[in-house]
Amino acid sequence: MRKWERRLRGSGSGVRSRRFVRALPAAMIVVGVVFDFYTPPAFTAVPMFAAAPLLAAPFFSLRGTIRIGVAAMLAIVGMRLYRGTLPGVVPFIELLTVLTVAVQACAINRVVQRSNERLASARVIAETAMRAVLPTPADRIGGLHVAARYEAAQADEFVGGDLFSAVDTPYGVRLVLGDVRGKGLGAVAAVAVVIGAFREAAEQEKSLEGVAQRLERALARESTRGGSFDAFEEFVTAVLAEIPPGGQLVRIVNRGHPDPLLLHGDGAVETLTPSEAALPLGMELGVRPDRADEWELPDGGTLLFYTDGLSEARNAEGVFYDPVERLRGRLFPEPEELLSALSDDVRLYTGGKSTDDMALLAVMRPAKGQPGRRRTVRIVRRGTTLRD
């Protein structure tokens, strides 16, 4: 999500489907004319002519719907003139039938247009709110190169339960990436609680374990206040990381989240599995104190954090996506290029049919002497890809 990305899913088939649907009204009129021309006068193609404006109503503008209705009526007039049955009772009834259906199609068109406008307004509000709750991190934090991305399973959805944040603190760069179990307002409330608590705790707590406990307490307070977050129904899997200033190591506390990956500069991929399994945040089951594990973070190494929208993506045969196998042997000079390649690969792997949101966060320790690169912002929309 380098500034808020919307998934481009199945663009080729989507464009073809839209073209087919928009061609249907005209095709119905053509089929009706052919049917009327080659069949005896006792047969009528009025159902086909009447169907044309109805098919146009949800997909065309009001003017386009009117044009289709007029074209259907002109087709009837033309065929009746050709057969020499104008004027007559039957042609009059046919024209009245198509006119009535066309008027109804125009009314349907207005209803659909108003609904689309209200939906578009709601989407803008939702996206703005999500940006406020979950702003994109800067691309340079504490000497590290950072990239983050959020991709909704549904191309038109903007609010979900995945979260991430990266901040520069006196203790180094601290990061969190998580996934709220649950949907709707409860998930959004949990995202706001975790992100708010993390930004405060990251600046104040001396240890990464202390940050994790602050998040735990914040979720516990929220669940007892009668808010929309219910600890028994919704919890948060999360991974917290700390990269001390000047050091070549990373500390990680993993609370029930998919294991992060470390991509080495030679193409090797290492899975950072915690020494002890821990429960997600918000479960309140009296778990043992958190314990941070440490790994070496070499120059040119890249940490990849992700939600299960990546690891549980499936292909047509139902096989899960394996990021380790898919990334092994590949080199990425910048985190943004890694996330772009990864999201494109998942889209191809699933055929654009992902069922869960996906959040990605990549952090690279640049190799010595590596020049800075211009930041690229990708906004992926249906049918278009924009770059600045």
Side-chain angles (χ1 to χ4, degrees), residues 74-155:
L74 290 176
I76 293 176
V77 172
M79 292 305 301
R80 296 301 166 256
L81 286 173
Y82 174 79
R83 291 186 179 275
T85 57
L86 276 181
V89 176
V90 173
F92 175 77
I93 295 175
E94 291 176 340
L95 286 171
L96 183 61
T97 300
V98 175
L99 176 62
T100 302
V101 174
V103 171
Q104 293 174 344
C106 291
I108 294 172
N109 177 270
R110 295 312 301 154
V111 172
V112 171
Q113 292 298 327
R114 292 193 190 100
S115 299
N116 289 341
E117 291 170 1
R118 288 194 293 268
L119 182 58
S121 177
R123 288 169 182 167
V124 171
I125 294 172
E127 184 179 10
T128 303
M130 201 62 178
R131 284 183 179 180
V133 174
L134 200 64
T136 304
D139 60 342
R140 299 291 186 270
I141 302 178
L144 303 174
H145 297 189
V146 180
R149 177 169 300 195
Y150 174 87
E151 295 196 359
Q154 302 298 323

Side-chain angles (χ1 to χ4, degrees), residues 97-253:
T97 300
V98 175
L99 176 62
T100 302
V101 174
V103 171
Q104 293 174 344
C106 291
I108 294 172
N109 177 270
R110 295 312 301 154
V111 172
V112 171
Q113 292 298 327
R114 292 193 190 100
S115 299
N116 289 341
E117 291 170 1
R118 288 194 293 268
L119 182 58
S121 177
R123 288 169 182 167
V124 171
I125 294 172
E127 184 179 10
T128 303
M130 201 62 178
R131 284 183 179 180
V133 174
L134 200 64
T136 304
D139 60 342
R140 299 291 186 270
I141 302 178
L144 303 174
H145 297 189
V146 180
R149 177 169 300 195
Y150 174 87
E151 295 196 359
Q154 302 298 323
D156 294 330
E157 292 182 358
F158 308 114
V159 179
D162 291 358
L163 60 94
F164 53 76
S165 183
V167 294
D168 192 7
T169 74
Y171 311 102
V173 176
R174 285 177 168 174
L175 314 103
V176 64
L177 184 136
D179 185 4
V180 178
R181 187 261 183 203
K183 299 292 182 182
L185 293 177
V188 176
V191 169
V193 170
V194 172
I195 292 298
F198 172 77
R199 290 172 184 162
E200 180 181 4
E203 294 284 345
Q204 299 175 355
E205 294 292 337
K206 295 182 179 180
S207 68
L208 193 62
E209 294 89 341
V211 176
Q213 289 303 308
R214 284 278 288 272
L215 301 187
E216 189 77 65
R217 291 194 295 271
L219 288 172
R221 286 195 304 270
E222 179 66 17
S223 64
T224 59
R225 288 174 179 172
S228 56
F229 177 77
D230 187 345
F232 295 100
E233 297 292 337
E234 297 168 343
F235 52 84
V236 183
T237 67
V239 57
L240 296 94
E242 175 185 273
I243 305 173
Q248 288 191 322
L249 62 88
V250 56
R251 300 188 183 100
I252 293 178
V253 171

